[in-house]
Amino acid sequence: MNTFIVIPAYNEENNIASVIQGLKSNGYENIVVVDDGSKDKTYEIAKSENVHTLKHIINRGQGAALQTGVDFALLNKADIIVHFDADGQHDPEQIKDLVLPIINKQADICLGSRFLSKQKIPRSRRIVLNGGKLIIRAMYGIKLTDVHNGFRVMSRDAAQRIRIKGDGMEHASEILEQIKNKKLRYKEVPVIIKYSEETLKKGQKNSNAIRILFKMIMAKLGG
């Protein structure tokens, strides 16, 4: 299967090289880094690693960067597309676990879950994630253990049917809504997310979660 790894990246000059090298050491060669208007050397470092490197002139947001990368992967005949973070939180060795149900025709999209792996999650993050589960279930009728995990894998068909319109972090909820509306088969797979002081600082804030909820409600009211 022709597997493409799509990495949205913004100001990740300290991490992007090691992330790419980790993927390569696990046998992944079709790597697409989408530099989302970084102000540092993310683009130059990624390009020096001899991977597909795309660039947004301005910072549009993670959702927009993912869609740019997915479009590129589809144009290059990807069979499977992996969403992978640029900050080192995801373990490339776990990609195969998310890919397997798709290869075996058991799912159209696989979603990583921190809760299924029973890893220790920082309390502040756990509160936000648990609140998100209830909101997603109430708004979209989809029951998941982890609704805002950026580690996901989709088949070519699913990637063609899902269109990310939200430029920012609301894309995670938008993807779940489209899974439900388009009746895509989904499966949660246990994953471990590597937390560090840097990733916690850059991660989802409570205030941002409120803004995302507002955008979700407005989108729902808009039909």
Side-chain angles (χ1 to χ4, degrees):
M1 302 291 279
N2 196 18
T3 301
F4 273 71
I5 315 295
V6 174
I7 308 174
Y10 178 64
N11 291 343
E12 292 290 354
E13 65 178 6
N14 294 328
N15 301 305
I16 194 64
S18 61
V19 168
I20 292 170
Q21 291 161 13
L23 288 163
K24 286 184 175 181
S25 69
N26 279 270
Y28 299 103
E29 295 295 332
N30 292 322
I31 300 169
V32 185
V33 175
V34 183
D35 176 68
D36 189 32
S38 294
K39 298 176 181 178
D40 62 7
K41 295 182 179 179
T42 297
Y43 178 81
E44 290 79 5
I45 293 171
K47 199 166 184 61
S48 71
E49 293 290 334
N50 296 314
V51 298
H52 303 293
T53 312
L54 312 176
K55 185 175 181 64
H56 287 168
I57 301 301
I58 61 171
N59 176 233
R60 293 182 55 196
Q62 191 179 81
L66 279 172
Q67 190 60 59
T68 295
V70 168
D71 288 342
F72 179 89
L74 290 172
L75 284 172
N76 285 274
K77 301 181 174 13
D79 297 309
I80 291 175
I81 297 175
V82 181
H83 291 178
F84 202 82
D85 281 358
D87 58 8
Q89 279 195 314
H90 297 162
D91 183 351
E93 291 186 4
Q94 294 184 315
I95 292 175
K96 62 181 183 298
D97 298 327
L98 283 89
V99 167
L100 190 59
I102 295 175
I103 292 177
N104 292 337
K105 307 295 184 182
Q106 297 171 335
D108 302 305
I109 181 166
C110 286
L111 308 162
S113 172
R114 288 158 279 197
F115 290 89
L116 290 180
S117 65
K118 298 181 180 180
Q119 78 167 106
K120 289 186 177 180
I121 302 171
R123 185 173 180 273
S124 60
R125 188 62 48 85
R126 182 181 290 273
I127 291 171
V128 172
L129 292 172
N130 281 326
K133 286 190 290 186
L134 297 174
I135 292 168
I136 291 296
R137 188 173 183 183
M139 291 186 68
Y140 306 134
I142 183 169
K143 186 178 180 180
L144 295 169
T145 63
D146 193 346
V147 297
H148 284 286
N149 194 322
F151 199 177
R152 61 181 77 86
V153 176
M154 60 184 70
S155 67
R156 179 179 181 85
D157 177 65
Q160 288 174 322
R161 295 172 66 186
I162 291 174
R163 190 75 193 172
I164 301 172
K165 296 179 181 178
D167 281 359
M169 296 303 292
E170 69 273 13
H171 74 273
S173 302
E174 185 182 7
I175 288 172
L176 298 180
E177 182 180 22
Q178 292 188 51
I179 288 172
K180 178 69 174 181
N181 291 344
K182 297 179 182 181
K183 296 180 172 58
L184 295 171
R185 296 172 304 152
Y186 65 91
K187 180 179 178 64
E188 284 191 286
V189 176
V191 297
I192 299 292
I193 299 299
K194 303 172 187 176
Y195 289 108
S196 67
E197 186 176 339
E198 180 186 5
T199 58
L200 286 171
K201 185 178 179 180
K202 293 173 66 175
Q204 196 72 271
K205 305 293 190 300
N206 290 346
S207 58
N208 196 39
I210 293 170
R211 285 194 295 271
I212 291 171
L213 174 59
F214 178 74
K215 288 182 179 181
M216 290 165 57
I217 293 172
M218 293 305 293
K220 195 77 171 174
L221 292 175

